[in-house]
DNA sequence: CGTGTTTGACCGGCGC
DNA sequence: GCGCCGGTCAAACACG
């Protein structure tokens, strides 16, 4: 209960020692380079503004949400997925819209600690990228939040993190 | 002993 | 109808 609206702490867990990466040391040293986009098709009547109301207490998000634009959708062809045609094509009716939020972060490590516990449930290699894509899920029961992490195809030093869903619980902090 | 991580296989959807 | 791609789950293993 102490984790009400306390300050945001990137990484301070004494047990979470990332001394593994000697070249990085602390993951909190990452820096946002570009902010990503959210699904444009869900703005129909579903307010995606909730992601900024109860799930995010990260000041970094606020600082970057003004930088919202597009991310590398140029040369890669922005082939995120043909899902847009799935709902925006014929089935204009959305049963359960999942809020998708993608970040492009400059980081040496993909394990960016956002204050939540994630359990990796799968790894897949996408054809359009020489790098594998990692699938994470929230370890907390009742939390439908999923996270997708993959490296930039043209900039391996950049990591693309896609959040899906809203956290129904407070962060570990 | 518990949890988390890992890898492979399986499945569903879409395209052709 | 089959092939391809992406996504998910499950069993086993490793580590704390």
């Amino acid at each position: 209960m102490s984790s009400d609206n306390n300050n945001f702490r990137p990484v301070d867990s004494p047990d979470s020692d990332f001394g593994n990466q000697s070249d990085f040391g602390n993951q909190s040293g990452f820096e946002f380079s570009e902010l990503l986009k959210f699904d444009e098709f869900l703005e129909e009547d579903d307010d995606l503004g909730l992601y900024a109301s109860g799930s995010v207490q990260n000041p970094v998000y606020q600082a970057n949400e003004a930088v919202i634009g597009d991310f590398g959708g140029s040369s890669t062809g922005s082939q995120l997925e043909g899902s847009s045609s799935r709902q925006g094509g014929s089935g204009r009716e959305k049963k359960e819209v999942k809020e998708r939020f993608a970040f492009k972060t400059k980081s040496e490590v993909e394990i960016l600690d956002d204050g939540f516990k994630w359990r990796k449930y799968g790894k897949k290699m996408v054809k359009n990228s020489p790098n594998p894509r990692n699938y994470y899920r929230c370890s907390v029961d009742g939390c439908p939040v999923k996270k997708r992490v993959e490296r930039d195809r043209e900039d391996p030093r950049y990591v693309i993190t896609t959040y899906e869903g809203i956290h129904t619980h407070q962060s570990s902090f």
Side-chain angles (χ1 to χ4, degrees):
Chain A
M1 301 320 187
S2 52
S3 51
D4 272 347
N5 285 325
N6 50 13
N7 341 356
F8 163 75
R9 306 178 77 167
V11 56
D12 188 68
S13 313
D15 59 299
S16 301
D17 119 279
F18 290 82
N20 216 23
Q21 290 71 24
S22 49
D23 61 307
F24 204 67
N26 194 328
Q27 59 183 122
S28 57
F30 74 86
E31 55 178 273
F32 278 95
S33 189
E34 294 184 66
L35 238 298
L36 272 325
K37 59 93 185 178
F38 16 78
D39 291 37
E40 57 281 324
F41 60 80
L42 52 76
E43 64 178 53
E44 189 175 334
D45 68 281
D46 275 56
D47 61 305
L48 42 83
L50 33 77
Y51 73 82
S53 27
S55 54
V56 181
Q57 67 270 34
N58 190 339
V60 182
Y61 293 1
Q62 304 171 23
N64 284 270
E65 68 179 46
V67 200
I68 292 166
D70 83 300
F71 75 99
S74 29
S75 40
T76 325
S78 191
Q79 187 182 304
L80 289 169
E81 65 274 352
S83 307
S84 39
S85 57
R86 178 172 65 187
Q87 303 208 354
S90 45
R92 50 149 295 276
E93 180 183 354
K94 74 269 172 262
K95 34 200 155 122
E96 291 184 65
V97 179
K98 297 179 187 286
E99 295 74 88
R100 272 213 307 225
F101 192 29
F103 291 92
K104 184 173 178 182
T105 316
K106 181 177 186 234
S107 175
E108 313 284 331
V109 288
E110 50 191 79
I111 318 249
L112 297 174
D113 187 73
D114 44 13
F116 299 102
K117 212 92 175 197
W118 303 92
R119 163 177 134 266
K120 186 187 293 178
Y121 71 92
K123 186 189 306 167
K124 195 57 181 282
M125 216 182 231
V126 279
K127 211 169 187 231
N128 226 109
S129 194
N131 304 306
R133 180 177 288 173
N134 300 302
Y135 299 91
Y136 293 88
R137 202 171 183 179
C138 196
S139 307
V140 180
D141 175 62
C143 204
V145 183
K146 286 181 285 190
K147 185 165 74 172
R148 187 179 311 152
V149 181
E150 86 179 292
R151 289 192 192 279
D152 192 294
R153 134 185 248 268
E154 296 186 71
D155 290 286
R157 54 218 136 192
Y158 286 87
V159 179
I160 300 175
T161 309
T162 308
Y163 290 88
E164 195 171 319
I166 311 296
H167 287 284
T168 60
H169 60 96
Q170 301 300 126
S171 55
S172 309
F173 303 133

